[in-house]
Amino acid sequence: MIKLSRPNITKEAMQEVCKVLESGMLVQGEKVLEFEKELKKYINVDHVSAVSSGTAALHLALEALEIGQGDAVLVPDFTFVATANVVEIQKARTILVDVDASTYNMCPDKLEETIVNYNFKEQLKAIIVVHEFGAPADMTRIMAIAKKYNLYVIEDAACALGAYYNNQHVGTFGDIGCFSFHPRKSITTGEGGALITNKEKIARKVELLRNHGLKRDENGLIDVVIPGFNYRMTDFQAAIGINQLVEFNENLLKRKELVEEYYRQLSGFKGISLPKNVNEHAWQTFMVILNNEINRDSVIKLLKVNLIETTVGAQALHLLTYYENKYGYVSNDYPSSKVLFEQGLVLPLHPLLNLEDIHEIARILKKLL
């Protein structure tokens, strides 16, 4: 079976994990601090807080910016559900925005149109922009819109470690950036995530929020200064992450090499539309779009019979039961997102693949179509 994704955990990483386990000091400690230091260096950002998941990072971002009941947040319709779920958890209103059909990212024109036509009682407070599948969003236009309408910007860069926009790492344009280290991401810590910011005040608040709102005095006595969460990363997770960062740039180059081969093999083939090859893309995921007359779900099943694992992409939020029922969306409200959701096909992509694997995937896919 050619797997959709495979984490590459080296023997060196396993040895480092064993050292942590043998030490008996498992929770957030020296390894987490080292991982945060390496991420700061890699991303070129002032503050990094490692946390238990990418979703935890998004939740902390909203908490740190004091976004909650009475507020509204703009979210792309085509994204993983966590992007909007955290808004709902905060009891704010989710405002969906359609995406660009070729990049899969929030469309700036649709974003401003949604803001101009906004007429709900909740106050627009923030934009959560997603760098979908590692493709950098149009941050020049999105930041200009945010400034024009006085909105916070949270970058959901869950898939986008290693992605840049105009030579600046994504996640560093807005007020806060959020990353995920889930096993399908380009680097993994099992579960895990990180929140980054260049703003000292936000960073200090996040440090409190991720650890129950605790402070210790010089004698080690605990005080609680704000109600918080347990969103800490463990030291053995961080040990894996440190090891993965060592080979990360090499793995990014391998991903790009595999993607270039997909383009060579699939470009111009009837029935398949390829994603726009955005400059400085990190290529965490490679999703093609099948023509409307093709049953995408049947293709997934047939590829599995041929020992190729594939899946759907992100979700069109307006078609999911909770959001449909709460906000009264209908099927065609966000047409680009709808097509991506219903016809998107994610193909295998990870550094353990080789060019022969890509040839075989392309050969079988074209044969089936």
Side-chain angles (χ1 to χ4, degrees):
M1 174 72 78
I2 299 178
K3 299 293 289 182
L4 179 72
S5 179
R6 280 182 62 191
N8 185 17
I9 310 297
T10 66
K11 289 183 179 179
E12 290 79 11
M14 294 178 191
Q15 289 168 355
E16 290 301 313
V17 169
C18 287
K19 288 178 185 177
V20 173
L21 295 175
E22 288 166 357
S23 76
M25 301 296 291
L26 307 186
V27 297
Q28 178 179 300
E30 291 301 317
K31 286 294 181 183
V32 170
L33 288 173
E34 184 181 348
F35 185 43
E36 290 173 339
K37 181 181 177 181
E38 293 302 316
L39 282 172
K40 276 199 286 188
K41 191 189 308 180
Y42 184 83
I43 298 170
N44 190 24
V45 70
D46 291 340
H47 304 283
V48 173
S49 295
V51 292
S52 55
S53 69
T55 306
L58 287 167
H59 189 197
L60 288 173
L62 292 175
E63 278 281 341
L65 296 175
E66 299 181 357
I67 293 171
Q69 193 165 11
D71 298 327
V73 180
L74 295 140
V75 174
D77 186 59
F78 187 70
T79 182
F80 182 60
V81 294
T83 312
N85 281 353
V86 293
V87 177
E88 295 296 309
I89 287 167
Q90 291 296 98
K91 301 189 185 305
R93 174 182 278 270
T94 303
I95 304 297
L96 300 179
V97 179
D98 209 355
V99 296
D100 183 282
S102 63
T103 67
Y104 315 156
N105 284 330
M106 180 183 278
C107 174
D109 289 337
K110 292 291 184 182
L111 172 62
E112 184 152 31
E113 180 184 315
T114 302
I115 294 170
V116 169
N117 293 326
Y118 182 77
N119 61 1
F120 296 104
K121 63 179 181 180
E122 292 86 358
Q123 182 182 356
L124 283 175
K125 273 289 190 70
I127 303 164
I128 301 182
V129 53
V130 180
H131 304 287
E132 193 63 59
F133 302 149
D138 186 345
M139 295 310 296
T140 299
R141 293 191 63 197
I142 289 170
M143 291 305 297
I145 291 168
K147 183 177 181 180
K148 181 177 179 180
Y149 296 100
N150 194 28
L151 300 171
Y152 292 119
V153 174
I154 299 167
E155 294 177 67
D156 182 343
C159 299
L161 188 68
Y164 290 79
Y165 180 82
N166 291 342
N167 296 313
Q168 181 177 335
H169 201 291
V170 301
T172 61
F173 291 85
D175 299 276
I176 294 172
C178 301
F179 295 85
S180 170
F181 307 128
H182 178 274
R184 275 196 60 194
K185 300 303 185 283
S186 298
I187 75 166
T188 185
T189 57
E191 288 283 3
L195 183 150
I196 69 171
T197 184
N198 283 314
K199 299 188 175 183
E200 176 79 20
K201 184 177 179 182
I202 290 174
R204 298 286 73 84
K205 189 167 184 180
V206 168
E207 288 296 297
L208 288 170
L209 286 169
R210 74 166 170 176
N211 188 24
H212 302 287
L214 299 182
K215 270 191 176 180
R216 293 179 186 270
D217 65 17
E218 62 273 13
N219 299 313
L221 295 176
I222 289 174
D223 191 15
V224 175
V225 297
I226 186 173
F229 310 93
N230 181 0
Y231 279 162
R232 298 176 307 229
M233 178 180 280
T234 64
D235 257 19
F236 54 86
Q237 288 175 300
I240 299 171
I242 293 164
N243 180 270
Q244 298 234 316
L245 274 174
V246 172
E247 298 181 345
F248 184 54
N249 282 334
E250 182 181 333
N251 287 338
L252 279 179
L253 290 173
K254 180 66 182 293
R255 285 175 176 273
K256 290 176 182 179
E257 178 187 358
L258 296 171
V259 166
E260 286 169 6
E261 192 60 30
Y262 269 131
Y263 277 100
R264 281 191 287 268
Q265 295 293 322
L266 298 175
S267 290
F269 187 80
K270 185 179 179 182
I272 300 175
S273 297
L274 302 181
K276 184 177 180 180
N277 197 346
V278 180
N279 192 35
E280 301 179 294
H281 201 308
W283 292 114
Q284 186 265 329
T285 292
F286 187 75
M287 186 181 83
V288 302
I289 309 302
L290 304 183
N291 285 2
N292 287 334
E293 66 269 17
I294 298 169
N295 186 309
R296 188 270 318 274
D297 295 345
S298 294
V299 172
I300 290 174
K301 291 175 183 176
L302 289 168
L303 285 168
K304 186 176 182 181
V305 170
N306 284 272
L307 302 182
I308 297 169
E309 183 182 25
T310 57
T311 190
V312 301
Q315 290 77 43
L317 300 181
H318 79 284
L319 297 178
L320 304 182
T321 299
Y322 172 83
Y323 292 94
E324 183 180 28
N325 288 347
K326 179 173 181 179
Y327 294 111
Y329 297 120
V330 296
S331 180
N332 291 318
D333 278 347
Y334 303 92
S336 294
S337 177
K338 181 177 186 289
V339 171
L340 298 179
F341 178 53
E342 293 178 345
Q343 296 300 115
L345 176 69
V346 174
L347 301 178
L349 182 63
H350 55 85
L352 297 177
L353 293 174
N354 55 47
L355 295 182
E356 288 71 29
D357 293 321
I358 305 302
H359 296 166
E360 180 65 4
I361 293 162
R363 184 185 72 82
I364 296 295
L365 178 58
K366 289 191 285 188
K367 179 182 175 183
L368 291 174
L369 295 184

